[in-house]
């Protein structure tokens, strides 16, 4: 049953939420340590490449640029929603006592949606599922502008929105692995660190952009800091902010996906080629270790023989004397 809570209830809610987050972090860390298998490192030539050259190579690689732009769009949407949703529920929908319930519905549906989206991508491909999910998200985000201040309507919309919203958390990192594998195959070098740094930078940039957009919307709406009662213009400004910024980013992400060159066929070919290279490298490494071991054994045998010959020579020398 959905009920409102007071200050004491909110305090208990924050403590319970913190405990659940710590428990989930412990579970995920345990799963990672016990189930994830480490693969053999990608074999590459030991050549020093300056960071500037590596960054230039990454940012002139078309799939990498598309992944970076798509990350900018998706992270901007997620940061905008995260920073504005509580204010949206409180002032735009007028459901100040139901903020925690609305957030719980959104997060819960998003957690359910992540494995669903991942399974669909594994079966139908990342680009088609991403495009279809974005086309579903566009009318849902538009609905945030017109949904009435009714609890049932708000919860239903947020539940559906959370299912599609999970796409924003999975696609950037899944495309990062595809781009990394393609760069390894094309250049013979691993750029995982540079790519991860670029995506992390995009995440920081979009956080600042979303914060600035939210601040501008509140300023335009006449938000009074510290006030419990705000004018209606604040609610309208927040509605437009959580609608227009994500809508613009969704349209731009469709344009980026249209130019994304990595197809499922290319992804499978790259995966098989890297698997073959890795297997060949492991065999070469084992052969090298075996050869090194044989050389060490041979050196020991030669050393023993020479030592014995030296001893025999000294004995003969003494006998002759």
């Amino acid at each position: 049953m959905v009920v409102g809570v007071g200050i004491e209830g909110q305090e208990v809610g924050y403590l319970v939420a913190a405990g659940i987050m710590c428990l989930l972090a412990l579970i995920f860390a345990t799963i990672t340590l016990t189930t994830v298998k480490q693969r053999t490192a990608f074999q590459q030539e030991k050549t020093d490449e300056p960071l500037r050259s590596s960054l230039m190579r990454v940012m002139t690689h078309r799939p990498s640029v598309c992944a970076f732009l798509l990350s900018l769009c998706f992270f901007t949407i997620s940061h905008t929603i995260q920073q504005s949703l509580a204010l949206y529920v409180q002032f735009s929908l007028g459901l100040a006592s139901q903020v925690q319930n609305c957030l719980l519905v959104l997060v819960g549906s998003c957690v359910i949606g992540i494995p669903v989206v991942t399974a669909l991508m594994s079966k139908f491909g990342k680009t088609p599922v991403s495009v279809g999910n974005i086309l579903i998200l566009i009318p849902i985000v538009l609905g945030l502008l017109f949904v009435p201040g009714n609890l049932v309507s708000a919860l239903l919309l947020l539940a559906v929105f959370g299912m599609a919203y999970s796409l924003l958390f999975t696609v950037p990192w899944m495309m990062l692995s595809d781009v990394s594998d393609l760069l390894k195959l094309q250049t013979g070098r691993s750029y995982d660190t540079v790519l991860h740094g670029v995506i992390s930078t995009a995440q920081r940039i979009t956080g600042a952009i979303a914060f600035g957009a939210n601040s501008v919307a509140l300023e335009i709406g006449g938000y009074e800091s510290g006030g419990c009662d705000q004018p209606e213009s604040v609610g309208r400004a927040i509605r437009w902010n959580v609608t227009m910024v994500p809508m613009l980013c969704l349209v731009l992400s469709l344009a980026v996906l249209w130019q994304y060159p990595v197809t499922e066929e290319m992804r499978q070919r790259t995966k098989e080629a890297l698997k073959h290279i890795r297997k060949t490298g492991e065999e070469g490494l084992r052969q090298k270790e075996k050869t090194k071991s044989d050389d060490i054994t041979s050196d020991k045998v030669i050393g023993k023989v020479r030592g014995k010959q030296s001893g025999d020579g000294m004995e003969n020398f003494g006998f002759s004397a």
Side-chain angles (χ1 to χ4, degrees):
M1 184 174 65
V2 180
V3 295
V5 294
I7 300 299
E8 296 180 357
Q10 290 181 1
E11 182 179 356
V12 174
Y14 283 124
L15 292 175
V16 172
I20 293 174
M21 290 179 63
C22 293
L23 179 62
L24 290 176
L26 180 61
I27 293 174
F28 294 153
T30 304
I31 293 174
T32 302
L33 291 174
T34 56
T35 61
V36 176
K37 295 182 180 180
Q38 187 175 5
R39 296 188 305 179
T40 304
F42 182 76
Q43 301 296 320
Q44 62 180 8
E45 298 179 1
K46 300 297 182 180
T47 58
D48 295 330
E49 184 176 8
L51 178 60
R52 182 178 179 181
S53 300
S54 300
L55 188 61
M56 183 65 66
R57 183 183 294 274
V58 168
M59 297 311 296
T60 55
H61 187 237
R62 182 180 172 186
S64 302
V65 174
C66 290
F68 174 72
L69 295 177
L70 195 66
S71 300
L72 283 177
C73 295
F74 283 178
F75 288 149
T76 300
I77 298 172
S78 62
H79 283 301
T80 301
I81 297 298
Q82 290 172 14
Q83 296 179 15
S84 304
L85 186 61
L87 295 174
Y88 171 78
V89 175
Q90 184 175 358
F91 298 115
S92 299
L93 300 181
L95 301 173
S97 62
Q98 305 297 331
V99 173
Q100 69 282 352
N101 295 313
C102 293
L103 293 177
L104 180 61
V105 169
L106 177 65
V107 174
S109 59
C110 185
V111 171
I112 296 174
I114 288 177
V116 174
V117 171
T118 304
L120 291 175
M121 287 184 178
S122 301
K123 185 174 183 179
F124 300 105
K126 298 177 183 178
T127 303
V129 173
S130 299
V131 172
N133 207 328
I134 291 173
L135 294 177
I136 294 174
L137 265 174
I138 289 177
I140 296 175
V141 172
L142 191 61
L144 296 175
L145 185 62
F146 302 105
V147 64
N150 180 275
L151 182 59
V152 176
S153 302
L155 292 179
L156 289 176
L157 182 64
L158 290 175
V160 179
F161 177 71
M163 293 288 291
Y165 182 65
S166 58
L167 174 80
L168 309 180
F169 297 98
T170 56
V171 170
W173 302 109
M174 293 180 71
M175 286 188 171
L176 178 63
S177 62
D178 297 337
V179 172
S180 175
D181 290 344
L182 193 59
L183 271 173
K184 288 177 184 178
L185 185 62
Q186 293 177 349
T187 64
R189 291 182 57 84
S190 175
Y191 291 90
D192 293 350
T193 303
V194 180
L195 286 169
H196 190 275
V198 168
I199 300 300
S200 299
T201 302
Q203 199 170 16
R204 301 298 183 272
I205 293 174
T206 53
I209 293 174
F211 180 78
N214 190 30
S215 299
V216 170
L218 292 175
E219 186 70 23
I220 294 175
Y223 180 80
E224 298 177 2
S225 180
C228 296
D229 296 329
Q230 301 292 337
E232 294 183 1
S233 57
V234 173
R236 290 194 297 268
I238 295 175
R239 276 183 184 267
W240 283 100
N241 182 52
V242 299
T243 303
M244 292 298 103
V245 175
M247 284 285 290
L248 178 62
C249 293
L250 288 173
V251 173
L252 291 177
S253 63
L254 283 176
V256 174
L257 284 172
W258 183 264
Q259 298 295 326
Y260 187 63
V262 181
T263 60
E264 287 299 316
E265 183 180 357
M266 183 186 302
R267 189 178 295 110
Q268 291 299 326
R269 290 202 306 265
T270 301
K271 185 177 179 181
E272 292 297 328
L274 287 177
K275 184 178 180 180
H276 176 72
I277 293 174
R278 187 175 289 108
K279 183 178 180 181
T280 305
E282 290 176 353
E283 292 177 354
L285 185 61
R286 285 195 296 267
Q287 185 65 30
K288 185 183 295 185
E289 291 177 352
K290 182 180 179 181
T291 303
K292 185 177 179 179
S293 178
D294 293 342
D295 291 341
I296 293 174
T297 303
S298 178
D299 291 341
K300 288 182 179 179
V301 172
I302 292 174
K304 290 181 180 179
V305 172
R306 287 179 178 176
K308 185 177 180 181
Q309 289 178 351
S310 177
D312 293 342
M314 291 298 295
E315 292 175 359
N316 292 335
F317 177 76
F319 178 76
S320 299

